[in-house]
Amino acid sequence: MGIIVDKEKCIGCRKCMKSCPFESIVMEDKYPVIGSSCTNCGQCVENCKFGALSKSEEGSAEVDLGLYHGVWVFAEQREGKIMPVVIELLGEGRKLADALNTELAAVLCGSQIGGLAEELFAGGADKVYLADAPELENYTTDAYSKVIEEAVNTYKPEIVLYGATHIGRDLGPVLAVKANTGLTADCTKLEIGEDRSLMMTRPAFGGNLMATIRCPKHRPQMSTVRPGVMKKAESIPGRKGEIIDLAPVFAEGDIRTKVLEVVKAVGETVSLTDADIIVAGGKGTGGPEGFKLLQKLADKLGGTLAGSRAAVDEGWIEKARQVGQTGTTVKPKLYIACGISGAIQHLAGMQDSGQIVAINTNEAAPIFEVADYGIVGNLFQVIPAILEALEA
Ligand code: FAD
Ligand code: SF4
């Protein structure tokens, strides 16, 4: 699809250029030229009084939606371990599959990983599409996307869900392009609409509003979901399912990259999503010294240290510990927010915590609106007092 310019009708008025919300149009020799950032939204077509622009429908052949059935979850595994987000996606996928009265399947790729199917069945998968080959031992975009593209073309799932991990964020868009469909990234809510379509909700415009997105004309409907957002599927040990062997075959040149070595990032790994207690600090901590005080409280409670983006931007705490829309989504039993104002982008990542305690000098800070317990006060006085009480 694309925008066609009829030079016979165009008078070079530049109105289309001004109307394009994506600044995709430039004028060359008095005629509009459409750039690669064009989304085919049609604004320019509507704005051209001279009928000089039209939408080409080439390549937009109608997809027979009725051919597509089933909900698939990409079962990301690393070194033979299923990623926790997969179990969350199975929980969500089960709900979607039940609402559609269809089956839930997992797509598992790797080398010698067949044994992991049991975990996926226990998590609610009715089927596991298994691609087991030495070429799939380490993730490569070429190998994984080739195998899954072939499976999608053969079995035609209605929905495919990926965790918004590094791998999921790479694989999902590639497969969406290969399947000529759309993908909604970082969804926080998924539900089935009246017409069986997947309603994919995600924050938009810096988190100031929630947008619900549909993919009405193409299949599969695809979305990525960030770890920690959906509830984990309850495990039913011994639950059985069907394994479908995808029997992948690779020709020379199919995989253009070679993994020579896997080097793990050195340093402490942080798992905010698994933490029961989080002590988080914001700009109000005033610097690294403030974070040392928070660390004392975290150590005393057996908790994990985290921070707001403002604190991360200041370099007071590492990015891996950022909570919020562009950080990690957490659901601990206890979240203690110290010197954090409670911007919507921060709340998006922690408001589902079990109990929220907020310490802030400003009684009007928005964090108090989501807090179960609010302490209006200076954290440099409040935290030592809590520590003292805990020592007693
Ligand atoms: P501030 O807003 O500056 O708040 C500091 C608070 O500390 C104030 O309420 C103040 O009253 C209090 N305070 C000061 N001194 C003390 C003291 N001694 N004792 C107690 N309280 C004190 N933010 C995130 O956190 N996570 C995200 O993932 C994230 N993603 C974003 C994505 C986008 C697209 C955008 C536009 C923004 C994003 N932000 C995110 C930034 C967000 O909008 C806020 O700017 C940020 O959360 C503010 O951090 P803060 O609360 O630490 O700082
Ligand atoms: Fe711009 Fe939309 Fe016209 Fe494309 S279709 S050039 S994005 S106004």
Side-chain angles (χ1 to χ4, degrees):
M1 288 198 291
I3 300 295
I4 298 170
V5 182
D6 184 341
K7 290 187 177 173
E8 298 284 309
K9 293 182 182 165
C10 179
I11 61 151
C13 70
R14 308 166 79 94
K15 251 197 157 172
C16 56
M17 194 176 113
K18 290 178 198 148
S19 72
C20 175
F22 301 96
E23 298 181 356
S24 289
I25 305 181
V26 290
M27 300 300 282
E28 279 179 20
D29 293 336
K30 294 193 192 155
Y31 295 115
V33 174
I34 316 296
S36 58
S37 56
C38 171
T39 62
N40 214 36
C41 69
Q43 282 282 335
C44 52
V45 177
E46 278 173 35
N47 274 279
C48 180
K49 284 188 190 151
F50 306 95
L53 298 172
S54 57
K55 267 185 171 184
S56 137
E57 295 302 323
E58 195 189 321
S60 66
E62 288 247 319
V63 174
D64 184 352
L65 305 186
L67 294 177
Y68 292 79
H69 294 288
V71 177
W72 284 16
V73 166
F74 168 59
E76 181 180 337
Q77 59 81 26
R78 295 193 197 177
E79 295 178 337
K81 282 206 186 98
I82 296 285
M83 293 287 100
V85 69
V86 174
I87 309 300
E88 295 161 13
L89 293 179
L90 285 174
E92 196 61 21
R94 184 76 264 165
K95 280 191 233 155
L96 300 175
D98 289 349
L100 289 167
N101 197 17
T102 187
E103 64 190 18
L104 173 66
V107 193
L108 178 61
C109 302
S111 176
Q112 306 198 331
I113 35 77
L116 298 178
E118 274 178 29
E119 201 180 323
L120 300 169
F121 292 139
D126 303 312
K127 282 183 180 165
V128 170
Y129 291 94
L130 176 67
D132 199 325
E135 292 88 342
L136 296 166
E137 183 177 353
N138 289 309
Y139 173 78
T140 60
T141 314
D142 283 344
Y144 270 52
S145 64
K146 177 183 188 291
V147 168
I148 303 177
E149 182 195 4
E150 286 168 2
V152 164
N153 289 340
T154 308
Y155 297 100
K156 301 201 180 330
E158 212 168 344
I159 293 172
V160 184
L161 308 177
Y162 312 83
T165 59
H166 293 300
I167 288 180
R169 283 177 201 259
D170 180 67
L171 182 65
V174 172
L175 281 166
V177 171
K178 286 186 178 226
N180 192 28
T181 188
L183 178 141
T184 306
D186 287 349
C187 294
T188 51
K189 190 170 149 196
L190 298 169
E191 42 188 4
I192 302 299
E194 280 174 14
D195 58 352
R196 275 184 81 89
S197 65
L198 181 62
M199 314 293 281
M200 301 172 273
T201 303
R202 57 151 299 152
F205 295 107
N208 288 317
L209 62 85
M210 301 303 280
T212 299
I213 297 163
R214 287 168 66 230
C215 177
K217 294 187 181 163
H218 294 267
R219 292 291 179 271
Q221 302 157 96
M222 294 190 178
S223 77
T224 63
V225 178
R226 284 166 59 178
V229 172
M230 304 297 183
K231 223 175 134 201
K232 275 188 178 156
E234 271 186 35
S235 175
I236 306 171
R239 190 175 170 276
K240 298 277 174 240
E242 184 188 353
I243 294 185
I244 293 147
D245 187 2
L246 296 175
V249 177
F250 295 95
E252 208 185 325
D254 278 349
I255 308 170
R256 294 167 297 173
T257 48
K258 199 170 172 184
V259 179
L260 300 178
E261 194 185 355
V262 178
V263 183
K264 292 196 181 157
V266 186
E268 200 190 343
T269 49
V270 188
S271 182
L272 290 180
T273 39
D274 294 338
D276 279 342
I277 298 175
I278 290 180
V279 179
K283 199 95 182 264
T285 55
E289 285 306 310
F291 271 94
K292 281 188 191 158
L293 182 61
L294 266 59
Q295 182 72 66
K296 276 191 196 161
L297 181 60
D299 290 345
K300 193 79 204 161
L301 296 170
T304 304
L305 196 64
S308 70
R309 178 155 136 184
V312 170
D313 288 347
E314 291 288 346
W316 300 342
I317 185 164
E318 64 266 44
K319 168 82 180 139
R321 293 183 187 268
Q322 182 184 315
V323 169
Q325 188 191 317
T326 42
T328 305
T329 304
V330 298
K331 264 189 230 161
K333 290 182 184 149
L334 175 63
Y335 188 91
I336 307 179
C338 312
I340 293 178
S341 59
I344 188 159
Q345 296 89 356
H346 187 82
L347 300 185
M350 47 65 74
Q351 60 195 352
D352 291 333
S353 303
Q355 295 286 317
I356 299 172
V357 176
I359 306 168
N360 199 303
T361 43
N362 177 6
E363 62 176 43
I367 191 77
F368 288 127
E369 285 167 29
V370 297
D372 299 285
Y373 298 95
I375 304 170
V376 180
N378 183 338
L379 67 92
F380 293 97
Q381 289 160 0
V382 175
I383 295 178
I386 296 175
L387 285 169
E388 207 178 298
L390 289 169
E391 298 283 346

